[in-house]
Amino acid sequence: MKNRFLPLVCSLLVFAGLAAHAQQKPNIVLIYADDLGYGDLSCYGATKVKTPNIDRVATEGLRFTNAHATSATCTPSRYSLLTGQYAWRKTGTGIAPGDAALLIPTNRVTLPGMLQRAGYQTGVVGKWHLGLGPKGGPDWNGDIKPGPLEIGFNYSFLLPATGDRVPCVYVENHRIVGLNPSDPVQVSYKDPIGTEPTGKANPELLKMMYSHGHDQTIINGVSRIGYMSGGKSARWVDEEMADVLTGKVNQFIETNQKKSFFVYFSTHDIHVPRMPHSRFVGKSGMGPRGDAILQLDYCVGEVMKTLDRLGLKDQTMVIISSDNGPVVDDGYQDEAVAKLGGHTPAGPLRGGKYSAFDAGTRVPFIVRWPGKVTVGTSDALLSQVDLLASLAVLTGQKVGAGEATDSFNTLNALLGKDPKGRDYVIEHALNNTLSIIKGNWKYIEPGQGPAVQKNTNTELGNNPQPQLYNLKTDLGETKNVAGQNPHVVAELTSLLKTVKEGK
Ligand code: NG6
Ligand code: CA
């Protein structure tokens, strides 16, 4: 009797074990917006623009008020997100040109690689901006590698750099999509290449004029950073980009619905050039920047619909955040300044993208995992550099000693079980100035450079003197109280030094 039922009992146990396992290992959808500010979403207090889809995710999940990208610009934030190491420890990780070589060493532990080891199918769709190819840059007309597939992704569909940098083509896995070999792509970030018009020489050909920089090769009526020729059949259409990327994300989810998956949806929105689809044009009343926020919100809604339709909502952790803070005029005359109205992209914070002030790195951060992540808001101190270590714990992976050393396990804060989070957070600004937040205090180390970035009109937070702000009483960093609190300055200077000297 006993023996007859033993196999059944065993398989039931195995099945129960697998089910428990599957529950603990959710799918992970990381939606990483570009240049989205702390005040750009209605769930973060925006009143002039409405983001119902993102707000719904926030209502069903946990909305963080003190979460940080590691850097106030894109490339270093993404480097840290994917490697669990501060980008400022490695030279050459500033804003990357479009022909940069792959910045992440292929032998490093990475977020996707760790999840791959945990049995996940891993995909990246959207803006990359971490370089591609070997030293000297990629072979655009051949196999473009190493790239995401060599650092832990099973699938990639990319804008190689940014929307405003050439080459303006999609790269799927190792190849440019739709490339005609008789019209090879050529890219140059030094001298002009080919005979195509530039914004500088032929501004009459532009559908949107540049305001600073961005005056080189014209692609789809928009002049870009860098020169490009060829690849005519492969060029993207900016107005279709959000739909193309969202379609690829949904396809990836569909294909992998029966497996555990991780998808890093790195949106182009709301970076410049802001060229949303015609169905969003004029809808925000704030010009293309506001319309791009509506488009971003729509894309989030479409991905959520896919999860619902496939019955995956409850077993999927959704994370929505941004790579750095907001900027209004970032190089094109897109009416962003003129039509801002009363909207405050940084919310109550000071500064913006590029800045050492908090709007540079304090960004929206929302986590949803029904039944597993507490519903509400959290003031826990969070850094995106911790996703690697935290998701490693979630998925039962070990991160070796000496690997991803800046990444701490803050899983309990992510799940809403720990209201405190990290002990301190490090912020990195454009000019390499570092700041540190600990408790109520924010210390900005002395830094050189202009107080205001002229073209974007951003307060950079540079000051040759140490700065100390009490974020509890002065979230907007208006009153430097370093002089009155020398012991706090000394403590935070010393902690920052210790972190800098780490690996
Ligand atoms: C700056 C560009 C800006 C943007 C930024 C990178 C000029 C004048 N400005 O150098 O438009 O591309 O780099 O943005 O070229 S990020 O979000 O990818 O870091
Ligand atoms: Ca960015």
Side-chain angles (χ1 to χ4, degrees):
M1 214 28 190
K2 248 187 196 168
N3 283 350
R4 238 176 71 203
F5 284 106
L6 196 59
L8 178 67
V9 172
C10 282
S11 44
L12 280 176
L13 282 176
V14 169
F15 183 73
L18 282 178
H21 202 57
Q23 225 179 25
Q24 273 159 17
K25 275 194 192 176
N27 306 309
I28 302 166
V29 174
L30 169 58
I31 303 179
Y32 207 50
D34 202 348
D35 297 0
L36 184 73
Y38 191 77
D40 274 328
L41 301 173
S42 34
C43 56
Y44 277 86
T47 54
K48 309 279 172 199
V49 63
K50 291 264 174 284
T51 50
N53 291 301
I54 298 176
D55 293 3
R56 196 170 314 125
V57 179
T59 310
E60 296 171 351
L62 190 57
R63 186 177 67 81
F64 289 85
T65 61
N66 202 1
H68 295 257
T70 59
S71 203
T73 57
C74 165
T75 302
S77 281
R78 285 157 202 262
Y79 183 92
S80 308
L81 173 81
L82 295 186
T83 65
Q85 190 199 34
Y86 295 126
W88 44 263
R89 297 204 190 279
K90 184 176 151 79
T91 51
T93 55
I95 300 171
D99 61 352
L102 178 66
L103 293 174
I104 300 177
T106 51
N107 59 0
R108 273 204 90 85
V109 67
T110 63
L111 177 60
M114 179 278 291
L115 291 172
Q116 215 173 37
R117 255 195 286 139
Y120 280 71
Q121 288 295 310
T122 56
V124 50
V125 174
K127 169 171 170 173
W128 182 240
H129 211 188
L130 288 166
L132 290 167
K135 200 163 171 232
D139 171 9
W140 294 110
N141 301 291
D143 269 346
I144 300 167
K145 63 182 191 188
L149 302 198
E150 285 67 39
I151 62 147
F153 284 105
N154 296 103
Y155 173 75
S156 65
F157 186 93
L158 309 176
L159 279 64
T162 62
D164 59 351
R165 284 174 175 74
V166 301
C168 300
V169 294
Y170 297 118
V171 174
E172 187 168 35
N173 297 324
H174 290 144
R175 289 279 173 164
I176 289 182
V177 181
L179 181 64
N180 178 348
S182 64
D183 181 30
V185 166
Q186 285 182 286
V187 172
S188 165
Y189 274 76
K190 287 196 193 89
D191 303 316
I193 207 165
T195 53
E196 292 192 46
T198 61
K200 191 169 186 177
N202 294 89
E204 75 285 357
L205 297 178
L206 298 173
K207 50 185 177 191
M208 186 167 66
M209 184 64 187
Y210 54 88
S211 57
H212 53 269
H214 305 98
D215 61 357
Q216 297 173 341
T217 303
I218 300 175
I219 310 284
N220 186 28
V222 181
S223 50
R224 318 274 167 160
I225 307 173
Y227 301 99
M228 167 178 181
S229 80
K232 287 233 163 68
S233 59
R235 294 179 182 188
W236 69 50
V237 177
D238 303 76
E239 294 86 342
E240 292 168 3
M241 185 179 283
D243 289 332
V244 169
L245 300 181
T246 306
K248 292 291 171 190
V249 171
N250 285 338
Q251 208 180 338
F252 180 83
I253 294 175
E254 232 20 280
T255 307
N256 294 293
Q257 56 177 297
K258 299 254 153 51
K259 305 173 183 156
S260 294
F261 61 82
F262 163 61
V263 60
Y264 166 40
F265 179 11
S266 173
T267 73
H268 159 69
D269 289 317
I270 60 167
H271 199 279
V272 296
R274 301 165 185 135
M275 312 275 293
H277 190 273
S278 59
R279 43 187 213 286
F280 301 102
V281 171
K283 292 292 168 6
S284 69
M286 281 166 42
R289 187 177 186 279
D291 298 344
I293 295 176
L294 299 184
Q295 179 167 269
L296 169 71
D297 185 65
Y298 164 83
C299 296
V300 171
E302 290 305 291
V303 176
M304 296 309 115
K305 267 193 217 160
T306 302
L307 295 177
D308 289 345
R309 181 168 53 79
L310 300 176
L312 296 174
K313 180 174 176 180
D314 289 350
Q315 62 217 65
T316 303
M317 177 189 260
V318 174
I319 303 174
I320 303 175
S321 196
S322 175
D323 66 340
N324 52 250
V327 55
V328 184
D329 177 350
D330 206 18
Y332 292 98
Q333 295 183 22
D334 61 5
E335 304 179 288
V337 177
K339 291 199 169 164
L340 201 54
H343 179 62
T344 47
L349 309 176
R350 187 170 180 185
K353 178 176 180 177
Y354 310 113
S355 177
F357 288 131
D358 237 41
T361 63
R362 193 187 296 221
V363 285
F365 194 102
I366 298 164
V367 185
R368 184 190 81 179
W369 182 15
K372 293 291 188 328
V373 166
T374 310
V375 170
T377 59
S378 172
D379 298 334
L381 190 56
L382 225 62
S383 172
Q384 292 171 2
V385 77
D386 292 340
L387 278 181
L388 197 157
S390 306
L391 297 180
V393 172
L394 178 70
T395 57
Q397 294 304 299
K398 285 224 157 31
V399 179
E403 291 187 317
T405 45
D406 293 317
S407 189
F408 300 163
N409 170 23
T410 53
L411 180 62
N412 283 336
L414 269 186
L415 298 176
K417 291 182 193 157
D418 164 20
K420 195 172 166 294
R422 255 183 171 256
D423 190 36
Y424 63 84
V425 149
I426 308 287
E427 307 175 359
H428 168 242
L430 178 68
N431 65 347
N432 288 323
T433 297
L434 296 183
S435 309
I436 184 164
I437 294 181
K438 189 168 188 284
N440 296 334
W441 297 108
K442 156 122 177 228
Y443 166 72
I444 307 178
E445 68 179 0
Q448 302 305 319
V452 175
Q453 191 180 47
K454 216 174 76 221
N455 292 327
T456 63
N457 197 24
T458 305
E459 288 191 289
L460 292 173
N462 293 326
N463 191 326
Q465 299 303 318
Q467 295 174 77
L468 182 73
Y469 299 98
N470 183 334
L471 296 180
K472 182 148 192 203
T473 56
D474 181 25
L475 184 59
E477 296 167 281
T478 60
K479 212 163 145 249
N480 180 3
V481 292
Q484 295 95 296
N485 298 280
H487 57 290
V488 182
V489 171
E491 185 203 324
L492 294 182
T493 308
S494 144
L495 178 56
L496 189 54
K497 185 162 173 279
T498 310
V499 177
K500 278 189 196 178
E501 285 165 358
K503 276 207 200 108

